[in-house]
Amino acid sequence: MAEQGPDWQEAFLQAHALPPAYLDSALKWFAPVANLLVEHQNGARRPLLVAVNGSQGSGKSTLCAYLVSRFRHEHGLVALSLSLDDFYLTRAERQELAASVHPLFATRGVPGTHDMALLLKTLEAMLAGETPVIPRFDKATDDRAPAEAWEYPEAPVDIILLEGWCLGARSVDTAELAVPVNALESLEDTDGAWRDRVNQALATDFPVLYDLVDEWLMLKAPSFDCVYRWRLEQEEKLAQRRAGSGVMSAEEVGRFIQHYQRVTNHCLQQLPRRVNHLFTLDSDRKIESYLAAPGVRG
């Protein structure tokens, strides 16, 4: 049973510290897409899996939280938002990769630093109508949260939203990896071993995930140049909540996002023609346009 009324919208704004203008934008741009996804779910024989791509700081998590609330209160559907971030390898596992493969794998984020087996197991169980435990990742400690902090869905879900900055990215020809895209690759991946391993992960680990996705949605940044400012704003918000614990400085953010630049650029260039729902953002993360397209799976 749908829970009607405006109260949930006000609660949503308060929970996410958002201005009222967010709802105006959401009603204009996101509510119609939510209706389309509900129609798709109504005709499905299993829960609907929606993949949400967007560069760091683009608003993926907020969008997914809004959709989860809207599905529940306006349509009476159980929805759950999952983040690719929650399926990072543990810190110890990444340190082992750093020692055995390349030092840059100590830093979470790129393909190759996720527990794809755990993600697939979790998604497949949910798509089968089960309620598996959902892992969580603690960015303050840069490690997977202890098992007692994991969560269970309240009931078998109708719609799963999976958000991640690299969702939809595909591997490229190895010749494209030869030229470094930034100082990190030039100085810390001189032989290209790290970016080659990232490319391998995209080739071997991600296609099976993409095959499960029913609908693709993208929040498209104008360019990678916006990512530094957006990611820095995220850290400032984290600092307010955590009193500075586990928060990166501006210099650390600058180095951190270089890990993401190559694959982010690939997504900005390649994904717009592949997704079902494309939202184009301006430099302030405001939506400039929406394009609905049939999409190409993954």
Side-chain angles (χ1 to χ4, degrees), residues 182-258:
N182 54 36
L184 181 84
E185 291 189 359
S186 179
L187 300 175
E188 301 185 48
D189 187 33
T190 55
D191 62 356
W194 172 72
R195 50 192 185 267
D196 182 67
R197 182 63 172 260
V198 171
N199 198 49
Q200 288 181 36
L202 285 171
T204 59
D205 298 341
F206 280 73
V208 63
L209 167 63
Y210 298 163
D211 287 343
L212 298 176
V213 175
D214 299 297
E215 293 277 315
W216 289 86
L217 186 154
M218 183 182 191
L219 297 174
K220 182 181 179 295
S223 70
F224 187 77
D225 293 338
C226 297
V227 176
Y228 171 75
R229 177 165 58 85
W230 292 354
R231 190 64 178 81
L232 193 59
E233 290 172 359
Q234 281 187 322
E235 290 300 311
E236 291 169 351
K237 289 183 179 179
L238 286 174
Q240 294 174 3
R241 295 201 300 266
R242 298 176 180 167
S245 174
V247 177
M248 289 186 284
S249 66
E251 293 75 16
E252 289 170 329
V253 169
R255 180 180 181 277
F256 182 68
I257 65 169
Q258 290 186 60

Side-chain angles (χ1 to χ4, degrees), residues 218-221 278-282 286-290:
M218 183 182 191
L219 297 174
K220 182 181 179 295
L278 175 65
F279 294 95
T280 300
L281 310 180
D282 66 14
K286 293 180 181 178
I287 299 172
E288 291 186 324
S289 65
Y290 165 72

